[in-house]
Each structure stands twice: as structure tokens, then as C-alpha cells.
């Protein structure tokens, strides 16, 4: 939640906000008359006087010139500071850097760039730099104190605590572990044979198949984890949230299908998720794919690296799916390319049960065959598709290969619709694809939705059927 830059308290339902400056103030603070002078030794040795006019002076603390906030000045020293900047913290911990960072009134004469917005820092003005002497991390004052980066706590004078790392598993013997999410059984490390591919065998963490490489398999049941997923840290910081996130997951119990990933909006119940345990923002969660993606993001469909430069409450148009949401952004001159988390986390390489080779994700590339192998409809290369780079000429829509619901665990997920329990099941229960009870078309995706004796191809058909049944 945003805080008022004047009183540093949480904003109410109605407040003043300037999106270019990320400046927000409560109505009461705007209407309140400022003090004519202040004495604040942490910021300046002399008494500061209120500047009587609204003007575009440059604040020595934040390097911004917006005049929506009152200025205080020290004429003999040529010192200028916003009223709101007087309350800037001295020492903070942000989610984008492992060390504490502290306020500095100016930077040395090197070229400094803000590690949050990726823009150049003016050395003459204040900002934040890393506590660790061997680290060159730096950030603008307003960037470092954004509500999606900083937790609002000033750590000046607070001793730094070393957070203990909880290991995700206990080693039982060579190649055998006991994972925290599956404590009742032991898991054995195995190697996926290249030609032995079963699309129904899903990693219970990321809900994607084991295409190749090592994985852990339960010695008593069907529980599977990619080796990478088994080693996921149990606690992390993520660039888009100010608090620590905790990995939660389980197996064997039907999961309620109601929560979405806060980054990509895919439904993420039934998979492992990173959740915020802090009171007030327990609804924040990330699926494994969004939690482990990092910046700079190297995307095959764009020539420049992408960064998370968006401010709180700011959404941009994704250049691929054209939805307005939180995005990775290109910072190169005259380039406004943006990529949302949903598009950024689509797997680059996948397997198809009717092709022995790996398929790769392609955007805008020419292909010999411009129709989908599964649905036999045309493919728009600009929207993305999977293709075989060998001589098979296999091409598939992204949704036809991955499905409409990417990270739902079939057989272990359910939700309620108009009081009816809806089971999410794998679409491999019959010799042929079943007919949807609502749209009367074949259920071609990997999942089907079952309500009593009815089968549906998607959640939209479930909702429409329930609506008509009222």
C-alpha cells in the first residue's frame, strides 16, 4: 500500500497522486499548513525555512523538481529539500538487493546508474548506496523507497540480523532425500531418458513435465520434482514485493482453485507458491516460474535485455499479448518494448508427444507450415507458436500445446461454482476426446472440468452452463 510522502502514513481511499514522480499525499496533509521553519540535524546543520512559492527547484535529497510539495531551503548553503523528503529513511533494506543500503547526500564522480529505474544518477544529489564497501549498488531516493521495493522500515540504529537458511530437504543417503513438502516419503534422484517422455508425469512444484535431465521421484507414490525445483530456496525476496516470501506446497490433498499468481495472474493453487506471510498482504503470492525469473531478462523476441522498472500502480501494454499489466521493460533509447510476466514465463523449450525432438518457442519467424498440428487452424507468427527445428515441420499454437490453464495440478485441484464442486481432471481418461457438455465441441486441451456427470472443456463453459442452469 502507498504511503503519504508528507506524514509517511498509509493513504486513505482518496488521495493526491502524481504518477510521473510517484508522489502521493493524503488530503489532510495537502490542506494542512506547513511549518515556517524546521530544524533537522540529520539533514542539515542550519534551520531550514519554508520557501513561500511553488516553483521548480531541485531537491538535494531526491534530485526531483516537482513543485506539488512544499520546499524548505537554507539560502547561505544553497540547500533545498522537499517537505516530504525530510522524512526519508537513513538506512533501509529493499527487496532488490541482498545488503542494506544507506542514504548518501551525493555520489563520487564515477558514472552511477540507478539499479531500479536503470537511469543515470546525478552525482550532485542524494540517493542510496550499498552498506557493503565492495558493492557498487546505487538507487535514486524515490526509486529505493517505492512501496513495491521498500517495506517502510527505517533501520538506522537497528542491528542487522543474520537470517538462517532453512534447507528444502534432508539428505538421507546418496541420491535419496526427504523434501519438506513430502515428508511422509523419501525421494530418489533419477535421470530422465531422452526418448521416455510421458506428458502426464508432472513436477508437483511447477506443474510442468520432465522433458529431460534429473528429477526426484517418490519411492512409494507418484510424487515428482525437477531437481531444480527440489532445490528451491524456502525463503526469498522478489523484486516486485517488499517483504520476504515463503515457499509453500504439498501433495495428496485437493487444493482449492481460487488464488492467482500476483505477477502473471495464472491460477497457481495446486502448485508450489511463494507467499507473503506478513499481515496485511497475505494475498500476495507468486508461482514458481514468476518467483525464479530474474533481471536482466534476455528474451528471444527482442534484441535488448529487459528490466523491472515499473513504479507502483503503473501498468504498461505488453508488446506480445497487448494486455496492460506489470512488465519487464526495455531501457534502450527510443524503444518501448515491454513484456508481461505471463509471456515472459512461457517455456522456451517443450516436448510434444508426437515428435521425438524438442520444440522451441518462436515469434515472428517464417515457417513452412502455417497451421497448428493439434487444432488444424492457422497460426499467426506474431502471436507466438512452437515449432520443431529439425525436419519434422511440426507447428503448434501455444495454447494447444500447453493448455488454457498452465499451472493447475490435474487431479489435485478443485473449486466451487454456484455451490457446485468442480473437479479439474487430466484429459486422458477416455479412448477419444470427450464432448463438452456446454459448447458440444471436443475437449482438445490437457485438462477437463467435471461437475457431477458433466464434462466441460474450459472454465468459461463451466460458468456459462451454471448461469443457464439457474
Amino acid at each position: 500500500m502507498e504511503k503519504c510522502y508528507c506524514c509517511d502514513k498509509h493513504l486513505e481511499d482518496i488521495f493526491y497522486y502524481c504518477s510521473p514522480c510517484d508522489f502521493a499525499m493524503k488530503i489532510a496533509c495537502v490542506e494542512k499548513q506547513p511549518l515556517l521553519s524546521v530544524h533537522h540535524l540529520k539533514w542539515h546543520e542550519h534551520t531550514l525555512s519554508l520557501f513561500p512559492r511553488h516553483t521548480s527547484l531541485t531537491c538535494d535529497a531526491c534530485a526531483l523538481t516537482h513543485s506539488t510539495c512544499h520546499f524548505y531551503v537554507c539560502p547561505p548553503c544553497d540547500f533545498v529539500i522537499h517537505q516530504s523528503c525530510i522524512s526519508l529513511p537513513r538506512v533501509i533494506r529493499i527487496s532488490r538487493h541482498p545488503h542494506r543500503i544507506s542514504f548518501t547526500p551525493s555520489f563520487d564522480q564515477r558514472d552511477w546508474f540507478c539499479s531500479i529505474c536503470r537511469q543515470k544518477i546525478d552525482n550532485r544529489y542524494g540517493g542510496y548506496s550499498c552498506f557493503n564497501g565492495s558493492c557498487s549498488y546505487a538507487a535514486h531516493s524515490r526509486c529505493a523507497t517505492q512501496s513495491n521495493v521498500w517495506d517502510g522500515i527505517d533501520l538506522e540504529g537497528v542491528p542487522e540480523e543474520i537470517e538462517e537458511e532453512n534447507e528444502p530437504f534432508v539428505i538421507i543417503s546418496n541420491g535419496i532425500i526427504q523434501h519438506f513438502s513430502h515428508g511422509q516419503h523419501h525421494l530418489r534422484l533419477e535421470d530422465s531418458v531422452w526418448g521416455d517422455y510421458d506428458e502426464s508425469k508432472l513436477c508437483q512444484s511447477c506443474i510442468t513435465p520432465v522433458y529431460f535431465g534429473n528429477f526426484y521421484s517418490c519411492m512409494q507414490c507418484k510424487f515428482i520434482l525437477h531437481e531444480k525445483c527440489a532445490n528451491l530456496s524456502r525463503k526469498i525476496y522478489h523484486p516486485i514485493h517488499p517483504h520476504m516470501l515463503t515457499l509453500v506446497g504439498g501433495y495428496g490433498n485437493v487444493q482449492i482453485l481460487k488464488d492467482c499468481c500476483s505477477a502473471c495472474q495464472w491460477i497457481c493453487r495446486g502448485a508450489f507458491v511463494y507467499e507473503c506471510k506478513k499481515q496485511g498482504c497475505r494475498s500476495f503470492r507468486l508461482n514458481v516460474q514468476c518467483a525464479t525469473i530474474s533481471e536482466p531478462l534476455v528474451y528471444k523476441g527482442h534484441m535488448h535485455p529487459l528490466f523491472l522498472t515499473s513504479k507502483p500502480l503503473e501498468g504498461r501494454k505488453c508488446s506480445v499479448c497487448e494486455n496492460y499489466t506489470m512488465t519487464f521493460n526495455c531501457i534502450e533509447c527510443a524503444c518501448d518494448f515491454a513484456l508481461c510476466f505471463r509471456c515472459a514465463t512461457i517455456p522456451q523449450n517443450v516436448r510434444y508427444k508426437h515428435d521425438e525432438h524438442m520444440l522451441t518457442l518462436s515469434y515472428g519467424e517464417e515457417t513452412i507450415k502455417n497451421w497448428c498440428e493439434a487444432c488444424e487452424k492457422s497460426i499467426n507468427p506474431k502471436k507466438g507458436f512452437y515449432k520443431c527445428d529439425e525436419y519434422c515441420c511440426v507447428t503448434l499454437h501455444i495454447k494447444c500445446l500447453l493448455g488454457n490453464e498452465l499451472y493447475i495440478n490435474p487431479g489435485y485441484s478443485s473449486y466451487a461454482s454456484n455451490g457446485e464442486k468442480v473437479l479439474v481432471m487430466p484429459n486422458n481418461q477416455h479412448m477419444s476426446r470427450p464432448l463438452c457438455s456446454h459448447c458440444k465441441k471436443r475437449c482438445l486441451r490437457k485438462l477437463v472440468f467435471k461437475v457431477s456427470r458433466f464434462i466441460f472443456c474450459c472454465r468459461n463453459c463451466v460458468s456459462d452452463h451454471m448461469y443457464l442452469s439457474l
Side-chain angles (χ1 to χ4, degrees), residues 167-404:
E167 296 297 332
F169 57 79
V170 176
I171 298 176
I172 304 301
S173 62
N174 187 25
I176 297 178
I177 64 170
Q178 185 174 36
H179 197 267
F180 84 93
S181 66
H182 196 62
Q184 64 270 39
H185 301 149
H186 293 164
L187 309 180
R188 178 190 288 117
L189 185 63
E190 299 183 18
D191 184 18
S192 176
V193 180
W194 175 254
D196 185 21
Y197 167 61
D198 183 356
E199 66 175 359
S200 65
K201 296 173 65 174
L202 302 177
C203 170
Q204 299 301 312
S205 173
C206 62
I207 315 301
T208 58
V210 179
Y211 297 122
F212 55 86
N214 294 339
F215 66 96
Y216 282 99
S217 176
C218 181
M219 300 169 68
Q220 298 184 46
C221 65
K222 296 180 180 180
F223 185 87
I224 293 175
L225 287 177
H226 289 115
E227 185 178 23
K228 179 180 178 181
C229 291
N231 282 278
L232 288 173
S233 298
R234 297 188 65 177
K235 293 183 181 294
I236 64 167
Y237 280 99
H238 195 271
I240 66 172
H241 192 69
H243 308 130
M244 181 174 282
L245 305 178
T246 302
L247 182 65
V248 296
Y251 179 80
N253 297 317
V254 174
Q255 302 286 338
I256 303 301
L257 194 70
K258 63 178 180 179
D259 297 317
C260 295
C261 171
S262 300
C264 68
Q265 300 306 309
W266 286 111
I267 292 174
C268 56
R269 280 299 186 188
F272 285 17
V273 293
Y274 281 95
E275 288 186 340
C276 181
K277 299 294 186 180
K278 191 172 182 63
Q279 187 175 7
C281 61
R282 288 180 178 269
S283 61
F284 186 91
R285 57 184 52 84
L286 296 175
N287 61 30
V288 168
Q289 286 79 0
C290 291
T292 54
I293 196 170
S294 59
E295 56 175 351
L297 173 65
V298 178
Y299 176 65
K300 288 180 61 177
H302 189 68
M303 66 185 75
H304 304 136
L306 307 176
F307 297 90
L308 290 166
T309 59
S310 298
K311 297 177 180 179
L313 307 179
E314 179 184 49
R316 298 191 185 185
K317 183 179 180 181
C318 175
S319 300
V320 176
C321 67
E322 299 184 345
N323 289 323
Y324 282 89
T325 182
M326 180 169 34
T327 57
F328 289 85
N329 307 306
C330 181
I331 62 172
E332 298 294 331
C333 296
C335 182
D336 58 355
F337 185 87
L339 189 72
C340 69
F341 271 85
R342 178 172 286 210
C343 293
T345 53
I346 293 176
Q348 295 295 310
N349 299 286
V350 296
R351 289 285 301 275
Y352 180 46
K353 61 182 179 180
H354 298 305
D355 194 323
E356 61 181 357
H357 308 115
M358 292 294 295
L359 305 187
T360 58
L361 182 64
S362 302
Y363 284 99
E365 298 179 18
E366 294 295 329
T367 178
I368 298 175
K369 189 172 65 177
N370 63 350
W371 51 274
C372 175
E373 183 90 5
C375 69
E376 299 185 353
K377 295 181 180 179
S378 62
I379 285 176
N380 181 356
K382 293 183 179 180
K383 295 295 183 180
F385 64 99
Y386 283 104
K387 70 172 184 176
C388 178
D389 288 328
E390 302 296 332
Y391 301 102
C392 306
C393 299
V394 171
T395 54
L396 290 140
H397 289 121
I398 294 174
K399 285 187 177 181
C400 287
L401 184 56
L402 301 181
N404 282 328

Side-chain angles (χ1 to χ4, degrees), residues 131-163:
F131 239 42
N132 192 322
S134 60
C135 183
S136 59
Y137 190 93
H140 291 120
S141 297
R142 289 304 179 196
C143 292
T145 54
Q146 289 176 175
S147 61
N148 62 339
V149 174
W150 175 50
D151 60 6
I153 301 174
D154 190 344
L155 297 174
E156 185 177 22
V158 178
E160 190 165 3
E161 297 180 1
I162 299 176
E163 297 171 351

Side-chain angles (χ1 to χ4, degrees), residues 35-38 47-52 71-75:
L35 298 173
L36 295 178
S37 63
V38 294
T47 299
L48 303 175
S49 301
L50 177 69
F51 193 79
F71 284 96
Y72 283 91
V73 300
C74 178

